[in-house]
Amino acid sequence: MSAVRGGAQRYGAEPSTATRRSILIIVGVVFLVPIAALLEFTFRIGQPAANGVQAYGFQHYLDIVSPANEQAYAPLYQGILNSLTICVITVFIVLVLLLPTMILVELKFPKYRRVLEFVCIIPITVPSIVLVVGFIPIYSVVAQIFGSSPWTLAFAIGVIVLPYAYRPIAANLAGVDVTTLSEAGRSLGAGWVSVIWSVILPNLRRGILSAVFITIAVVLGEYTIASFLSQNTFQTALVLIQQTDPYVGAISAVFALLFAFVLLLVIGRLGTVRRSRPPQRKGQVS
Amino acid sequence: MTAAATSAPATTTHGVGTRSRRRSAVWLGLAPFAVYIVLFLVIPAALAVGSGFFMSAGAFTLANLRAFADPNIQSDFVSTIGISAATAIVGAVIGAVVCFALLGARPDSFLRTVVDSASSVLAQFGGVMLAFAFVATIGQQGLITVLLERYLGLQTNIFTVFNNNGPLLYQVVGLVVPYLYFQVPLMVLTFMPAMEGLKATWGEANATLGGTRFTYWTRIAMPILAPAFFGSVILLFANSFSSYATAAALIDQGGILPLDIKQQLTSETVVGVQNVAGVLALGMVVVMIILMTAYSALQRRASRWQR
């Protein structure tokens, strides 16, 4: 693919620079408009004057940090806090339930790789809005055991996260020959624990990190299950606060989108560190 | 959950000899995940889909399926499919054009990383927040709506009055706009690997054989990309068919199936039969299974060229 790049004569699929730039600029601008509008909205002060001129300022940003409004925004803070708790538990589910199972299947039951993949893809075929119909009766039982605290949502969201968490780990597993690695470790006298801890896991670091980050993004963005199970999370709090104070809703949305973007940008860079390794000759660590 | 996991050894460690015992110990390693999946995926899915077959009192019945004969539900089914099809096709075409434009950029370039991350955010994270963004853009006080009013004097434009029915954004048809905003990025994410699979050597072969860029696209690239393209269209369709958050943040009533499920769960509106939410869930799952089967078939065909 890279051979003909930049040549005067183009044989393959690559577009000319002019075509490429114009497509990307047009689509990019169109896609920036709603984000720009959201940002513009956060700076608005009051309604436009009679001559149609809109006043702008940092009023609503100051409102958020003002102690006088602490009461009004308490549900939002609580929602963020709840979402973060759910994040931690969901990441725990991914690391303690999904990851060991994937490694075990890879090492001991490679025949069942397809089965595991199928299971992890099911949440795409059975959408959240369908699953909630079944989660409602399940959670009446869960509530009896654990109470109805928000953190219990992590069990349900852990399932929603499966397809996203599975993919980066599976991609990483496919690129690393864990069977040979673990046999090498075993033949050098390492026990299973140290093989997994100091041989396999370090090799899967990139996939695991990606899985954790995408899990965080999905948990913070989850709305359907939380709203049906009547829990206060970041997204349900946003919808709630939007009705009384749309500006704070918009500000939170801007920051959340930005946060998720940075998180995923880090995943992207993690991926390229590895991809760009072969051409580099020396001085490469990790 | 833990209780179920620890009760398992009692039944499985009866094996004679160390080898079979070790084997079953390894099998046990799969137990926690299996228990979790059964409790929080298999049972909820079965409950959701199965509840449509039961009366509220618990007796089995097929009568609830009559809900599909309800004209409102039928028309909502049609609008859900209509919106999904429209956003899938338009989103796929725009997304494919973006993928084409990205072909010149190296996969590890800054541009590609930014586009990939932005696409993931919009495709997987947006939901409620995208609804807010569009309220701020084409809602009644939205940036574009206000600009149209102030500078073009269009007090009544498509965004304030659509179809004599109030602002476009709060109608079911209006969902097409925010939905496209996550469909195009999803297309970029799913179709880019196929685009990257086009090998430079094919272009060279085409050129040596006297072909033009036009024949390259019509005879080589398009036939090779077709299965991946239609697979992505199906995935986009499924994505919009099953998405809930954006619609819920914009529309209070029903109108598409996910919103109808919410209405049925929160206030049993009259359709004349019980457990309508379960019946609708069943209908959605049937459609999703058909879609995902078609998708994986097309994906298998497409992956031939991506080695």
mmCIF file of all heavy atoms in Angstrom, chain B residues 217-235:
data_model
loop_
_atom_site.group_PDB
_atom_site.id
_atom_site.type_symbol
_atom_site.label_atom_id
_atom_site.label_comp_id
_atom_site.label_asym_id
_atom_site.label_seq_id
_atom_site.Cartn_x
_atom_site.Cartn_y
_atom_site.Cartn_z
ATOM 1 N N TRP B 217 -11.243 0.982 -10.378
ATOM 2 C CA TRP B 217 -12.332 1.046 -9.401
ATOM 3 C C TRP B 217 -13.481 0.114 -9.760
ATOM 4 O O TRP B 217 -14.003 -0.595 -8.893
ATOM 5 C CB TRP B 217 -12.854 2.494 -9.263
ATOM 6 C CG TRP B 217 -12.006 3.259 -8.299
ATOM 7 C CD1 TRP B 217 -11.074 4.199 -8.607
ATOM 8 C CD2 TRP B 217 -11.988 3.110 -6.882
ATOM 9 N NE1 TRP B 217 -10.471 4.649 -7.459
ATOM 10 C CE2 TRP B 217 -11.017 4.001 -6.382
ATOM 11 C CE3 TRP B 217 -12.684 2.304 -5.977
ATOM 12 C CZ2 TRP B 217 -10.720 4.115 -5.033
ATOM 13 C CZ3 TRP B 217 -12.403 2.422 -4.633
ATOM 14 C CH2 TRP B 217 -11.431 3.311 -4.166
ATOM 15 N N THR B 218 -13.886 0.105 -11.039
ATOM 16 C CA THR B 218 -15.078 -0.689 -11.366
ATOM 17 C C THR B 218 -14.780 -2.174 -11.431
ATOM 18 O O THR B 218 -15.628 -2.990 -11.093
ATOM 19 C CB THR B 218 -15.680 -0.239 -12.710
ATOM 20 O OG1 THR B 218 -14.640 -0.250 -13.692
ATOM 21 C CG2 THR B 218 -16.284 1.150 -12.609
ATOM 22 N N ARG B 219 -13.560 -2.560 -11.865
ATOM 23 C CA ARG B 219 -13.295 -3.986 -12.059
ATOM 24 C C ARG B 219 -12.592 -4.630 -10.865
ATOM 25 O O ARG B 219 -12.647 -5.830 -10.698
ATOM 26 C CB ARG B 219 -12.418 -4.206 -13.306
ATOM 27 C CG ARG B 219 -12.989 -3.653 -14.581
ATOM 28 C CD ARG B 219 -14.005 -4.623 -15.172
ATOM 29 N NE ARG B 219 -14.473 -4.180 -16.474
ATOM 30 C CZ ARG B 219 -13.803 -4.382 -17.604
ATOM 31 N NH1 ARG B 219 -12.657 -5.007 -17.582
ATOM 32 N NH2 ARG B 219 -14.279 -3.957 -18.744
ATOM 33 N N ILE B 220 -11.841 -3.827 -10.102
ATOM 34 C CA ILE B 220 -11.058 -4.430 -9.014
ATOM 35 C C ILE B 220 -11.549 -3.986 -7.642
ATOM 36 O O ILE B 220 -12.072 -4.783 -6.865
ATOM 37 C CB ILE B 220 -9.554 -4.092 -9.166
ATOM 38 C CG1 ILE B 220 -9.046 -4.598 -10.513
ATOM 39 C CG2 ILE B 220 -8.757 -4.721 -8.030
ATOM 40 C CD1 ILE B 220 -7.644 -4.169 -10.844
ATOM 41 N N ALA B 221 -11.418 -2.678 -7.366
ATOM 42 C CA ALA B 221 -11.663 -2.217 -6.003
ATOM 43 C C ALA B 221 -13.111 -2.416 -5.568
ATOM 44 O O ALA B 221 -13.379 -2.966 -4.498
ATOM 45 C CB ALA B 221 -11.260 -0.746 -5.881
ATOM 46 N N MET B 222 -14.059 -1.990 -6.413
ATOM 47 C CA MET B 222 -15.464 -2.077 -5.983
ATOM 48 C C MET B 222 -15.924 -3.513 -5.761
ATOM 49 O O MET B 222 -16.539 -3.800 -4.737
ATOM 50 C CB MET B 222 -16.362 -1.340 -6.964
ATOM 51 C CG MET B 222 -16.294 0.159 -6.765
ATOM 52 S SD MET B 222 -17.489 0.983 -7.793
ATOM 53 C CE MET B 222 -17.162 2.682 -7.360
ATOM 54 N N PRO B 223 -15.637 -4.446 -6.695
ATOM 55 C CA PRO B 223 -16.050 -5.830 -6.419
ATOM 56 C C PRO B 223 -15.418 -6.398 -5.149
ATOM 57 O O PRO B 223 -16.066 -7.126 -4.401
ATOM 58 C CB PRO B 223 -15.553 -6.606 -7.643
ATOM 59 C CG PRO B 223 -15.447 -5.590 -8.723
ATOM 60 C CD PRO B 223 -15.075 -4.308 -8.053
ATOM 61 N N ILE B 224 -14.161 -6.011 -4.891
ATOM 62 C CA ILE B 224 -13.502 -6.530 -3.688
ATOM 63 C C ILE B 224 -14.107 -5.910 -2.429
ATOM 64 O O ILE B 224 -14.301 -6.583 -1.412
ATOM 65 C CB ILE B 224 -11.989 -6.251 -3.755
ATOM 66 C CG1 ILE B 224 -11.342 -7.218 -4.740
ATOM 67 C CG2 ILE B 224 -11.348 -6.392 -2.386
ATOM 68 C CD1 ILE B 224 -9.884 -6.979 -4.960
ATOM 69 N N LEU B 225 -14.433 -4.617 -2.523
ATOM 70 C CA LEU B 225 -14.951 -3.926 -1.332
ATOM 71 C C LEU B 225 -16.434 -4.182 -1.099
ATOM 72 O O LEU B 225 -16.935 -3.946 -0.008
ATOM 73 C CB LEU B 225 -14.719 -2.415 -1.463
ATOM 74 C CG LEU B 225 -13.262 -1.950 -1.410
ATOM 75 C CD1 LEU B 225 -13.189 -0.450 -1.628
ATOM 76 C CD2 LEU B 225 -12.625 -2.335 -0.082
ATOM 77 N N ALA B 226 -17.141 -4.675 -2.126
ATOM 78 C CA ALA B 226 -18.599 -4.798 -2.011
ATOM 79 C C ALA B 226 -19.065 -5.570 -0.772
ATOM 80 O O ALA B 226 -19.902 -5.053 -0.025
ATOM 81 C CB ALA B 226 -19.173 -5.401 -3.284
ATOM 82 N N PRO B 227 -18.532 -6.775 -0.508
ATOM 83 C CA PRO B 227 -19.041 -7.489 0.680
ATOM 84 C C PRO B 227 -18.796 -6.718 1.971
ATOM 85 O O PRO B 227 -19.676 -6.644 2.832
ATOM 86 C CB PRO B 227 -18.247 -8.802 0.692
ATOM 87 C CG PRO B 227 -17.576 -8.903 -0.612
ATOM 88 C CD PRO B 227 -17.525 -7.559 -1.230
ATOM 89 N N ALA B 228 -17.605 -6.104 2.081
ATOM 90 C CA ALA B 228 -17.310 -5.338 3.289
ATOM 91 C C ALA B 228 -18.246 -4.135 3.404
ATOM 92 O O ALA B 228 -18.731 -3.809 4.486
ATOM 93 C CB ALA B 228 -15.863 -4.867 3.277
ATOM 94 N N PHE B 229 -18.525 -3.509 2.256
ATOM 95 C CA PHE B 229 -19.401 -2.336 2.271
ATOM 96 C C PHE B 229 -20.804 -2.722 2.722
ATOM 97 O O PHE B 229 -21.370 -2.111 3.630
ATOM 98 C CB PHE B 229 -19.451 -1.699 0.881
ATOM 99 C CG PHE B 229 -20.328 -0.485 0.800
ATOM 100 C CD1 PHE B 229 -19.861 0.746 1.214
ATOM 101 C CD2 PHE B 229 -21.627 -0.581 0.321
ATOM 102 C CE1 PHE B 229 -20.672 1.866 1.153
ATOM 103 C CE2 PHE B 229 -22.450 0.533 0.263
ATOM 104 C CZ PHE B 229 -21.964 1.762 0.678
ATOM 105 N N PHE B 230 -21.358 -3.776 2.116
ATOM 106 C CA PHE B 230 -22.720 -4.158 2.495
ATOM 107 C C PHE B 230 -22.769 -4.698 3.925
ATOM 108 O O PHE B 230 -23.746 -4.491 4.638
ATOM 109 C CB PHE B 230 -23.298 -5.155 1.491
ATOM 110 C CG PHE B 230 -23.558 -4.526 0.154
ATOM 111 C CD1 PHE B 230 -22.884 -4.932 -0.986
ATOM 112 C CD2 PHE B 230 -24.452 -3.470 0.051
ATOM 113 C CE1 PHE B 230 -23.098 -4.315 -2.208
ATOM 114 C CE2 PHE B 230 -24.683 -2.844 -1.168
ATOM 115 C CZ PHE B 230 -24.000 -3.270 -2.291
ATOM 116 N N GLY B 231 -21.686 -5.363 4.344
ATOM 117 C CA GLY B 231 -21.603 -5.793 5.736
ATOM 118 C C GLY B 231 -21.669 -4.599 6.675
ATOM 119 O O GLY B 231 -22.403 -4.606 7.664
ATOM 120 N N SER B 232 -20.925 -3.544 6.336
ATOM 121 C CA SER B 232 -20.939 -2.349 7.176
ATOM 122 C C SER B 232 -22.309 -1.689 7.170
ATOM 123 O O SER B 232 -22.758 -1.183 8.195
ATOM 124 C CB SER B 232 -19.883 -1.354 6.697
ATOM 125 O OG SER B 232 -18.622 -1.958 6.690
ATOM 126 N N VAL B 233 -22.965 -1.695 6.000
ATOM 127 C CA VAL B 233 -24.318 -1.122 5.935
ATOM 128 C C VAL B 233 -25.220 -1.842 6.931
ATOM 129 O O VAL B 233 -25.977 -1.221 7.687
ATOM 130 C CB VAL B 233 -24.910 -1.223 4.505
ATOM 131 C CG1 VAL B 233 -26.389 -0.864 4.514
ATOM 132 C CG2 VAL B 233 -24.163 -0.303 3.555
ATOM 133 N N ILE B 234 -25.114 -3.171 6.969
ATOM 134 C CA ILE B 234 -25.948 -3.952 7.883
ATOM 135 C C ILE B 234 -25.624 -3.615 9.340
ATOM 136 O O ILE B 234 -26.517 -3.431 10.171
ATOM 137 C CB ILE B 234 -25.756 -5.462 7.617
ATOM 138 C CG1 ILE B 234 -26.382 -5.795 6.265
ATOM 139 C CG2 ILE B 234 -26.399 -6.295 8.722
ATOM 140 C CD1 ILE B 234 -26.184 -7.218 5.862
ATOM 141 N N LEU B 235 -24.319 -3.482 9.617
ATOM 142 C CA LEU B 235 -23.921 -3.163 10.989
ATOM 143 C C LEU B 235 -24.465 -1.790 11.394
ATOM 144 O O LEU B 235 -24.945 -1.596 12.510
ATOM 145 C CB LEU B 235 -22.397 -3.185 11.105
ATOM 146 C CG LEU B 235 -21.873 -3.260 12.519
ATOM 147 C CD1 LEU B 235 -22.162 -4.616 13.111
ATOM 148 C CD2 LEU B 235 -20.378 -2.990 12.565
#
